[in-house]
Amino acid sequence: ALSVSLCPGGCNAGPEGFWAAVDVWIKKPHVANKRLCGVKETDGKDVDREDLHFLLKDPESELSQDVFSFLQCGISPAHTHGKDKPWPSTVRRLIPKDQFSSVTFLFISLSSPDFDRQQVTFLPYEEDSEGAVSLKKGNIYQIRLCSHDYNDWSLELHILYPDAWFSDGVVYPKLPWLSSDLLPKLVRWATQCKSSEFRNTLSLLPVEKYSLTYQQLKDKYKAMVKVWPEVTDPEKFVYEDVAIATYLLVLWAEEREEKGLTSRQSFVDLGCGNGLLVHILTNEGHPGKGIDVRRRKIWDMYGPQTLLEEKAITPSESFLFPGTDWLIGNHSDELTPWIPVIAARSSYSCRYFVLPCCFFDFCGKYQRRQCKKSQYREYIDFVAEVSHVCGFVTEEDCLRIPSTKRVCLVGKSRNYESSAEAEAEQQRAHYIQSRHTTSGVIVQGSDVTKHVTDSDRTPGSIWGAGFQPRDKVETVRNCATLPRDFVDGVVLHVANVLLAMTKSDDGRSSSDWNPGGSLSVSEVARLLKQETLQLLKKECGGLQTLLRNNHQVFRVEGGMVNIRDWRDRKSFMSVAKGKPVGSGAVKTRLCWFHTHHPQGCPLQTEQCGFAHGPEDLRLSTRPLKKRKTDAF
């Protein structure tokens, strides 16, 4: 058998970390193998010799003998009683992302969790369209945890028949990938031993239906990437909205099946932005519309069947939707906590889906109250609390989208009977009033201060004093409008501190170019005056955005700030397009290092993409970009 060892660098991971890592690979293989959508897992059970005889068909064959020896190889001679113990097993059906063949891949993982058998064996079976099952004997492999001493562990990969290994690049990865990619990931998962704050992705949906629907929608709407007229990244926003639409379509299909509904659910998307989600849901047969305070250029491309309204949304009686099945809040910013409220007050049957992003309370920014949770976890819990108070049975899930904010909340049903609507409304009103009081907003003459019934409400009455919808014209807050001398001063100050970190005698000759030291973003923040930090806090991304904007000087990766060394080949490649940073703009800007670094630029004049002095400057041939006032 082929054996590949990888030590976790003296980390005290042990069996607990090993089995936590194995559990990730069994239940969420798509985390490592990006060509998989996920798995469908069956209930586990203990498998003994008789069960294995049945699986292997012929217990007397050479294959059966080899498999039995392979399973027993982790048992030490001192523990021969372990040979009679059953193996805990689980069956998982792997679901590929991009292909659906007639073959179902059943991976039976046989685990040995007692102390001297820290190993898991994977037996891949294939089931054809007629239900016939056969063992893929060339792809049987085993992962072992080996102890060298109490604090020194290693992972080993063993292949039963390495010469017969088959790879299709999807369900069966290439053999080198298992050792060079999978093992390091297992080591990292084993040493971290962290449980996520959030649920697994797509925990409320059948993964097979999601995968199939997503591929169909992706193929259908991928052309939008080529004609995207907005200044935002087309691939991110198109594929993110395709994924969100997929989630909703599958969720609603499951709801129709569960409730025996015949017509497709209606919807309203509050704060619809570019409107692509509305366009997709409408095209897929769901009647609905989107509302946003700003019209986008792309709205004109959808056609009259996609209903989009340019209107400022204020939580009030004017924005109730009694005839609508679902309200959607997709990155709805200041409307996020109001979505469950609006849904609850629209009608007893109205449901909602919300994907929180920026942290807003009912009026203004959300103020943290618990330091033991991450800010994101605390905010999700707050919106879930609002949902519960509004009377919803609240479910949480995690989407598969290219965003760091992926947790959604779904309110499909109520936790009270329709006859208790008046009491539920009183509870909502009291809660909203209490949030206003806590935030310092005085509510006077608002419907939230008393019990409100349908007969009491008047058209246009506003529920919350102090609510401020976003401006019709978006303010640019990406540090681009800060005074040039202010930005230059911050850049020079931070760079000088980094350079000073390596000025001492450390064995370098005086001719060596000083690349400077390294500081975290938080450490850099402590170098700046309080008034400087206050000004940066008003910008999106603050200090980190300013440093990233000045990519000629700094490299910001993993929360660490370094002086950029242009002799490094990676520094010539832009993150977004993979083209040289100077491409199309060579010598159109002055070289910061030529002017400010004590040893000048590390590159010769002809090698540097920036001008070494005014006489080296050239006119830019690139057209001027429009200001980003129409961002998503």
Side-chain angles (χ1 to χ4, degrees), residues 91 135 143 202 384 490 502 523 541 565:
V91 179
L135 176 65
I143 300 171
L202 310 181
V490 173
T502 52
E523 289 172 327
D565 188 346

Side-chain angles (χ1 to χ4, degrees), residues 21-61:
V22 167
D23 195 54
V24 175
W25 178 233
I26 290 175
K27 296 180 178 178
K28 298 187 287 185
H30 54 277
V31 174
N33 184 354
K34 300 303 182 182
R35 296 188 176 183
L36 296 178
C37 181
V39 299
K40 184 176 182 180
E41 193 175 353
T42 64
D43 294 334
K45 68 172 186 175
D46 290 345
V47 175
D48 56 19
R49 277 180 176 268
E50 185 176 342
D51 295 322
L52 284 174
H53 288 166
F54 176 78
L55 291 172
L56 297 172
K57 307 297 184 184
D58 184 2
E60 304 301 325
S61 67

Side-chain angles (χ1 to χ4, degrees), residues 53 56-69:
H53 288 166
L56 297 172
K57 307 297 184 184
D58 184 2
E60 304 301 325
S61 67
E62 182 178 352
L63 171 61
S64 295
Q65 298 302 319
D66 288 346
V67 171
F68 274 110
S69 299

Side-chain angles (χ1 to χ4, degrees), residues 404 478-480 482 484 487 490-491 494 498 519-522 524 536 539-564 566 571 573-576 581 589 610:
T404 56
N478 60 357
C479 296
L482 291 174
R484 188 69 250 174
V487 174
V490 173
V491 170
V494 174
L498 293 173
L519 291 173
S520 67
V521 175
S522 59
V524 172
L536 289 173
E539 303 293 312
C540 292
L543 174 61
Q544 187 162 217
T545 296
L546 185 145
L547 296 172
R548 289 184 183 276
N549 286 353
N550 288 272
H551 64 267
Q552 183 194 162
V553 184
F554 301 112
R555 189 180 79 253
V556 184
E557 293 178 358
M560 301 301 294
V561 183
N562 299 273
I563 295 290
R564 188 177 292 277
W566 286 96
S571 290
M573 308 306 291
S574 70
V575 175
V581 172
R589 295 172 58 193
F610 302 94

Side-chain angles (χ1 to χ4, degrees), residues 498-517 565 567 597-599:
L498 293 173
L499 292 173
M501 293 174 66
T502 52
K503 272 187 176 180
S504 59
D505 185 12
D506 56 2
R508 295 197 322 268
S509 67
S510 58
S511 61
D512 288 341
W513 191 80
N514 181 11
D565 188 346
R567 296 171 298 180
H597 195 284
Q599 294 161 296

